[in-house]
Amino acid sequence: MNVRFSPRELLDLGAAWVALSVAFSILLIPGLQLVSVPEAVQTFGLSFVTVGVAFLLHELAHKVVAIRFGKIAEFRADYGMLFVAIMGAAIGFLFAAPGAVYHQGRSTLKQNGLIALAGPVTNLVLAAMFAPLAFLASGFLASIGSLGLTINLFLAAFNMVPFGPLDGSTVKEWSTPVFVAVFVPSAALALWALFGLGLF
């Protein structure tokens, strides 16, 4: 399996990565007010690393599975929605729909469902990997763990919402039992992380 990235795709991935990092930074420090420049830079760096891993591997999972099924697949950023993400974060609400992996080629309903499911499942796996840092580490490593855990659970749950172009719609169209099995625990864990860990 040969996974390649075009210059346009790399540009779009980079733009989405930076924009989402800015949006999460604004959520962590509302309006970026009453903080020192070093603190703001540290918060952006923290978001850049954790959001970057969550976002890039989510999209890469879609791409890899699509290619595995013999399709041509590339990520395209939605620059309008990236702007909405940043503006929404400024008022305390994040709508994270930075773009999508578009694929061409014949596929079955099941294959489309598995391609869609790959992203949220990847985020759940990443959340499990960040969890030990969140609960066992201290200091900056604990911050990385907590934010990585929260972001990945949030992205898994949000993308599994059965609405519009989100992954949940495609998964539900293929298999309602699989949709329920992934969406319900993802949503419950995301709510626990968002409010129980006290990051937002």
Side-chain angles (χ1 to χ4, degrees):
M1 183 172 60
N2 192 6
V3 179
R4 296 181 178 178
F5 298 90
S6 68
R8 166 68 187 278
E9 185 176 22
L10 292 174
L11 176 64
D12 281 8
L13 284 168
W17 184 355
V18 171
L20 285 179
S21 299
V22 170
F24 271 96
S25 296
I26 293 172
L27 282 181
L28 290 170
I29 306 176
L32 298 181
Q33 297 175 355
L34 302 178
V35 296
S36 64
V37 172
E39 184 177 353
V41 170
Q42 179 177 329
T43 301
F44 175 78
L46 180 63
S47 298
F48 191 77
V49 172
T50 54
V51 172
V53 171
F55 163 71
L56 288 177
L57 292 186
H58 176 107
E59 297 302 336
L60 183 59
H62 288 314
K63 182 181 176 81
V64 168
V65 175
I67 292 174
R68 174 66 180 81
F69 289 136
K71 300 166 75 67
I72 299 172
E74 281 209 1
F75 175 81
R76 287 292 179 265
D78 185 331
Y79 288 88
M81 292 310 299
L82 291 177
F83 178 77
V84 168
I86 294 174
M87 292 300 100
I91 60 174
F93 177 77
L94 182 63
F95 187 80
V101 170
Y102 294 93
H103 45 84
Q104 296 178 341
R106 289 187 175 184
S107 58
T108 65
L109 194 64
K110 179 179 180 179
Q111 287 174 339
N112 281 333
L114 290 172
I115 292 169
L117 187 63
V121 168
T122 296
N123 289 126
L124 291 175
V125 172
L126 287 170
M129 294 173 66
F130 276 108
L133 285 178
F135 298 113
L136 301 177
S138 60
F140 188 67
L141 286 179
S143 297
I144 292 176
S146 295
L147 188 56
L149 174 63
T150 301
I151 286 173
N152 278 287
L153 290 175
F154 171 78
L155 288 178
F158 178 81
N159 280 283
M160 282 301 294
V161 172
F163 175 77
L166 296 175
D167 298 326
S169 295
T170 304
V171 175
K172 189 172 185 293
E173 183 181 5
W174 160 51
S175 172
T176 298
V178 171
F179 164 77
V180 172
V182 177
F183 175 66
V184 172
S186 295
L189 287 170
L191 289 173
W192 163 77
L194 287 170
F195 299 105
L197 295 181
L199 292 178
F200 300 102

